[in-house]
Amino acid sequence: MNRRLYTLLFYLVLPLVAGRLAWRAWRAPAYAKRIGERFSFGLPPLKPGGIWLHAVSVGESIAAAPLVRELLARYPDLPITMTCMTPTGSERIQALFGGAEYAGRVQHCYLPYDLPWAAARFLNQVQPTLAVIMETELWPNHIHQCALRGIPVALANARLSERSARGYARFAKLTAPMLAKLDLIAAQTALEAERFRRLGARAECVEVTGSIKFDLTIDPALPTRAAASREQWQATSRPVWIAASTHAGEDEIVLAAHRQLLKLSPDALLILVPRHPERFNAVFELCQRQGFITQRRSSAEPVNAADQVLLGDTMGELLFLYALADSAFVGGSLVANGGHNLLEPAALGKPVLSGPHLFNFLEIAAQLRSAGALSEVTGVDDLAQQVARLWREPETAEAMRAAGLAVMQANQGALARLLAGLGRLLS
């Protein structure tokens, strides 16, 4: 498939795209807003001539935040236009950079769909001197339109699983020319760098910089605030665990494990955080149907001794919720989703648990597993046993905590290497 055929197919599936958008709007009304932006109409006023940075959703936006702050410090005269594809990503960007200190410096809109005219309209308005795409959100027409205008394109914190590489390889006539137009691919690992080269990226443009997620900085006030909340809840000695970024099919497993834990520790508290906001209500109803006394974080009410589950149904609080817990299970891994960021709980000194499906984070998972900071579970009984073991054996929990922090420290520096590469493109 070449780019023209890809574009034709995109036009043909536009009714399906519209249908999917309508379905998502039905489940999450925020998708019904700002639809024009997705076609480059009604874009907000955007100051031209700076850096365009695309982060598809929440996780990429959070990962990009330190990079954005460093770019602002190093290039104070360049505005940064941040784009994303989801309402939750938009909310996170606005929460991170909506303050007065960023006014006129960080601007935001949705990225238009990958149609030639929509990409052209967007770039004609933004006129960036550099385009930075986080991880693997590659759009052939956007990249082609950048190449036509001489705008260098960097793929930052780039990752490419073996499964994704096989998918790209099936459309080599489309992906090889697209990858060849990238001016920098800052890959997380040497294995991923080699996959990009095999698929058609220019060898001289591929560098191994590591994952900037290792450069996560924890606000020292966060653990202090979490400890104060647990004290307010009279839960300082209460066993607390978190299951974060869960997907459909995982909540039932987590709740079944928690039911087993309650038999061992009747005062145990589970903090359950679904990955997608549109699932908050459904998961709350699931907890109630299964008979768990459940408090919603969004209610702003303190947790009391009778509560068995705290549903994390707020945005932008995941690190705080991790800080509240004694151990952390990271979701998207008991189902074949590929996992989510294992480094956030590790950076907070939490023993980390996950399921076996970690194909999006193989290198990071391998490092944590090898160091003894990660324990993988396969189902209800295994999950309950591992959480109970960490409560029962504080020395094991402490060893995992220390190992995770050591892995974080040993792998820092990716952000500096990435910034050096971007600096060469801006010079």
Side-chain angles (χ1 to χ4, degrees):
M1 182 194 297
N2 59 27
R3 189 176 54 81
R4 287 191 177 89
L5 179 57
Y6 159 83
T7 301
L8 174 61
L9 290 175
F10 204 123
Y11 277 115
L12 291 175
V13 302
L14 268 181
L16 296 178
V17 172
R20 177 172 169 77
L21 187 61
W23 178 77
R24 285 187 145 186
W26 175 69
R27 297 189 66 195
Y31 275 96
K33 300 176 181 178
R34 298 162 54 195
I35 290 176
E37 290 182 22
R38 299 182 184 276
F39 295 92
S40 280
F41 294 111
L43 293 173
L46 298 171
K47 186 178 178 182
I51 299 170
W52 162 40
L53 187 146
H54 179 62
V56 60
S57 191
V58 176
E60 294 80 6
S61 299
I62 293 172
L67 171 60
V68 172
R69 294 190 185 101
E70 282 294 326
L71 289 171
L72 289 170
R74 296 185 181 205
Y75 308 101
D77 297 328
L78 295 181
I80 295 179
T81 302
M82 293 190 71
T83 60
C84 68
M85 299 296 288
T86 67
T88 51
S90 178
E91 290 172 9
R92 187 89 307 258
I93 290 169
Q94 293 179 69
L96 287 166
F97 299 106
E101 68 272 30
Y102 297 111
R105 306 189 67 201
V106 179
Q107 47 201 13
H108 163 64
C109 66
Y110 284 135
L111 180 68
Y113 289 133
D114 197 36
L115 298 165
W117 57 269
R121 281 175 60 91
F122 169 75
L123 290 171
N124 287 345
Q125 182 163 341
V126 177
Q127 299 176 28
T129 57
L130 171 66
V132 181
I133 302 167
M134 295 298 296
E135 301 196 359
T136 51
E137 185 74 4
L138 295 171
W139 293 109
N141 282 318
H142 279 282
I143 291 170
H144 178 69
Q145 290 293 327
C146 283
L148 290 178
R149 291 162 175 75
I151 302 166
V153 181
L155 189 60
N157 214 40
R159 59 185 177 93
L160 185 66
S161 69
E162 184 60 38
R163 188 170 77 167
S164 295
R166 288 196 299 269
Y168 278 122
R170 283 197 290 268
F171 303 100
K173 290 184 179 180
L174 173 67
T175 57
M178 175 184 68
L179 291 173
K181 291 170 184 168
L182 298 178
D183 300 277
L184 171 65
I185 297 177
Q188 294 188 22
T189 67
L191 188 58
E192 287 163 313
E194 181 56 30
R195 287 174 188 147
F196 279 111
R197 294 188 191 101
R198 287 203 311 262
L199 287 171
R202 289 175 286 163
E204 69 273 15
C205 297
V206 181
E207 301 177 11
V208 180
T209 56
S211 173
I212 64 173
K213 291 182 179 180
F214 282 107
D215 291 296
L216 175 65
T217 301
I218 299 297
D219 183 350
L222 198 64
T224 304
R225 187 159 63 92
S229 291
R230 285 188 63 160
E231 187 171 348
Q232 180 191 9
W233 302 345
Q234 298 182 340
T236 52
S237 59
R238 185 178 183 183
V240 180
W241 69 296
I242 184 172
S245 296
T246 59
H247 287 245
E250 290 185 308
D251 306 291
E252 293 84 355
I253 297 172
V254 168
L255 290 172
H258 190 53
R259 194 178 301 281
Q260 291 188 19
L261 291 167
L262 287 169
K263 294 176 183 177
L264 302 172
S265 300
D267 62 339
L269 176 67
L270 164 66
I271 303 172
L272 179 56
V273 189
R275 176 70 175 178
H276 299 111
E278 58 264 30
R279 296 183 58 243
F280 288 163
N281 290 336
V283 175
F284 178 65
E285 291 167 5
L286 173 67
C287 294
Q288 289 190 310
R289 277 199 313 273
Q290 295 202 3
F292 291 97
I293 302 171
T294 305
Q295 174 75 264
R296 297 186 74 142
R297 174 67 181 165
S298 60
S299 72
E301 294 292 328
V303 172
N304 60 59
D307 291 326
Q308 298 168 317
V309 177
L310 173 62
L311 181 68
D313 60 346
T314 53
M315 295 298 296
E317 279 202 313
L318 184 56
L319 287 178
F320 175 68
L321 296 176
Y322 273 133
L324 287 167
D326 304 314
S327 59
F329 167 79
V330 182
S333 57
L334 283 171
V335 294
N337 190 74
H340 290 294
N341 191 348
L342 302 167
L343 298 177
E344 290 174 336
L348 282 156
K350 308 300 175 182
V352 184
L353 307 174
S354 80
H357 300 287
L358 293 169
F359 52 81
N360 286 333
F361 296 91
L362 286 177
E363 182 72 18
I364 288 172
Q367 290 187 58
L368 291 172
R369 191 188 306 110
S370 176
L374 171 67
S375 181
E376 291 181 18
V377 300
T378 56
V380 174
D381 294 342
D382 201 10
L383 178 56
Q385 289 166 11
Q386 290 296 328
V387 174
R389 176 171 174 253
L390 293 170
W391 291 342
R392 189 175 60 249
E393 301 175 9
E395 67 280 4
T396 300
E398 173 57 27
M400 290 183 71
R401 182 195 76 81
L405 291 172
V407 169
M408 294 292 298
Q409 186 173 9
N411 286 277
Q412 290 179 346
L415 181 58
R417 292 187 286 272
L418 172 59
L419 284 162
L422 297 180
R424 291 195 297 273
L425 297 181
L426 282 166
S427 62

